[in-house]
Amino acid sequence: MKIEGLKPLYRSMKQQNIDRCRFTFQFRGTFFDVIFFIDEEPYKLIFGAKRKNFYFERIVNAGFSIDTRFDPETYSKLCKVLNLKYDPDNPFSPRYLFEEFNNNIPQNISKKDIPATYQIAPYVNIKEDAHKIYFWYWKFHDGVTSNASPENLEKTQQLLGDEAYINCKKKNVSSCWTDNPDLENKDIEDFNRIYK
């Protein structure tokens, strides 16, 4: 199914150099956090049902098309999250969900819609210090006494994106994380230092 509503959102993101954005989508009384990643190939959508401990992903292929099918287990969980009763004569089609989503995608976003690392963390499989989801600082390695670990580079990619991952790998830099939100470093200039 083509999700035409992603086209204006994509243009808005590209115009502002935004690689990831987050917005809310409501379907049948359930609110989803939606995160759209365009810093990965192919692009990706994550739908997380708020306060329901349920999420699913969709790969966004060329032409903004997605697969609307679910495996049986995820389909069953989705129906429970949406409080749908089983009706063999009128089964719920996930296409309805995606049609509604397509009609409710924001056309424009701003920098305030960039998801924080702690908002992405619940939807990725972090192998290194999974409880530490607030970015703290950069650690520059000398390549002799220390190096960025593969697990740390993977976490960097998952939470900060491909550009941060590529630059950290190239320059031998680790992202350092904390579980204390008060220590979170939101200074974008510090983040940009690794790109110079």
Side-chain angles (χ1 to χ4, degrees):
M1 172 182 180
K2 282 200 170 188
I3 307 294
E4 297 287 342
L6 286 175
K7 288 181 181 177
L9 175 61
Y10 173 81
R11 281 194 295 272
S12 178
M13 292 170 73
K14 288 304 251 184
Q15 288 167 354
Q16 299 174 72
N17 279 336
I18 295 174
D19 293 330
R20 299 170 169 199
C21 75
R22 177 176 167 257
F23 56 94
T24 300
F25 163 61
Q26 180 185 0
F27 183 76
R28 297 194 178 194
T30 298
F31 288 87
F32 291 89
D33 266 334
V34 180
I35 304 175
F36 185 33
F37 297 81
I38 64 169
D39 62 337
E40 301 178 7
E41 286 286 339
Y43 304 149
K44 182 169 67 174
L45 284 165
I46 292 178
F47 294 78
K50 293 185 178 186
R51 296 179 296 280
K52 302 275 181 131
N53 194 25
F54 171 77
Y55 87 98
F56 62 90
E57 298 180 8
R58 281 295 172 265
I59 297 298
V60 181
N61 297 301
F64 299 99
S65 66
I66 65 164
D67 185 349
T68 61
R69 296 170 296 179
F70 286 89
D71 64 83
E73 182 181 349
T74 307
Y75 174 82
S76 176
K77 288 179 182 175
L78 174 64
C79 288
K80 285 179 186 170
V81 163
L82 297 175
N83 295 316
L84 299 174
K85 303 286 187 251
Y86 177 68
D87 181 354
D89 298 324
N90 187 23
F92 169 69
S93 171
R95 192 170 183 89
Y96 302 144
L97 171 84
F98 292 114
E99 285 172 352
E100 189 70 17
F101 172 69
N102 186 44
N103 294 327
N104 288 282
I105 299 170
Q107 294 191 356
N108 298 295
I109 49 107
S110 66
K111 299 283 185 186
K112 71 175 179 49
D113 300 308
I114 297 172
T117 57
Y118 67 86
Q119 293 168 320
I120 297 170
Y123 310 118
V124 294
N125 183 19
I126 299 170
K127 293 179 182 149
E128 180 190 67
D129 296 327
H131 63 290
K132 295 182 178 180
I133 56 174
Y134 300 95
F135 174 71
W136 194 4
Y137 63 93
W138 298 109
K139 181 177 180 181
F140 295 82
H141 299 280
D142 62 11
V144 177
T145 60
S146 67
N147 287 293
S149 72
E151 295 81 10
N152 181 266
L153 290 170
E154 181 182 7
K155 184 174 184 176
T156 301
Q157 184 177 31
Q158 291 171 319
L159 297 181
L160 296 173
D162 282 353
E163 188 175 11
Y165 164 76
I166 290 165
N167 283 291
C168 282
K169 187 174 181 181
K170 187 165 101 180
K171 299 185 182 227
N172 201 13
V173 176
S174 291
S175 56
C176 296
W177 303 84
T178 179
D179 56 1
N180 183 345
D182 295 332
L183 295 176
E184 182 181 21
N185 183 349
K186 298 177 183 175
D187 184 1
I188 195 70
E189 292 307 314
D190 183 50
F191 179 79
N192 286 334
R193 282 193 308 121
I194 68 165
Y195 302 135
K196 293 182 180 175

